[in-house]
Amino acid sequence: CSLRLFQKFDNFRILVCGGDGSVGWVLSEIDKLSLHKQARVLPLGTGNDLARVLGWGGSCDDDTQLPQILEKLERASTKMLDR
């Protein structure tokens, strides 16, 4: 898994451009590598219940929005998940 490259970082963010299944897969990989204290995940995709619940909206199908989304990501607060 390419997430191994980030093991030496104190903190990092991952933009997951997919639905809940993609987010679940990334979170599972983070758990396997014990990166859960370092990683911050932003779910972004279409039909994405987690993104909707966290207030990011239910879809992103316009790539021109990406610069604004990345700016919001920099200012976003962290939410703990129980999964």
Side-chain angles (χ1 to χ4, degrees), residues 20-71:
D20 293 328
S22 298
V23 172
W25 173 74
V26 170
L27 292 174
S28 293
E29 294 300 314
I30 287 170
D31 287 343
K32 285 180 194 174
L33 296 171
S34 298
L35 296 173
H36 54 275
K37 292 184 180 176
Q38 299 152 260
R40 305 297 178 261
V41 176
L42 171 62
L44 184 67
T46 57
N48 194 327
D49 292 330
L50 182 58
R52 197 173 5 266
V53 167
L54 293 175
W56 288 93
S59 69
C60 178
D61 54 8
D62 180 3
D63 60 356
T64 62
Q65 296 175 10
L66 193 54
Q68 293 85 4
I69 290 169
L70 293 175
E71 285 178 24

Side-chain angles (χ1 to χ4, degrees), residues 5-14 35-41 74 78:
L5 299 171
F6 294 95
Q7 287 178 318
K8 296 186 186 217
F9 284 80
D10 291 332
N11 291 298
F12 61 92
R13 295 179 177 147
I14 302 170
L35 296 173
H36 54 275
K37 292 184 180 176
Q38 299 152 260
R40 305 297 178 261
V41 176
E74 286 297 317
T78 301

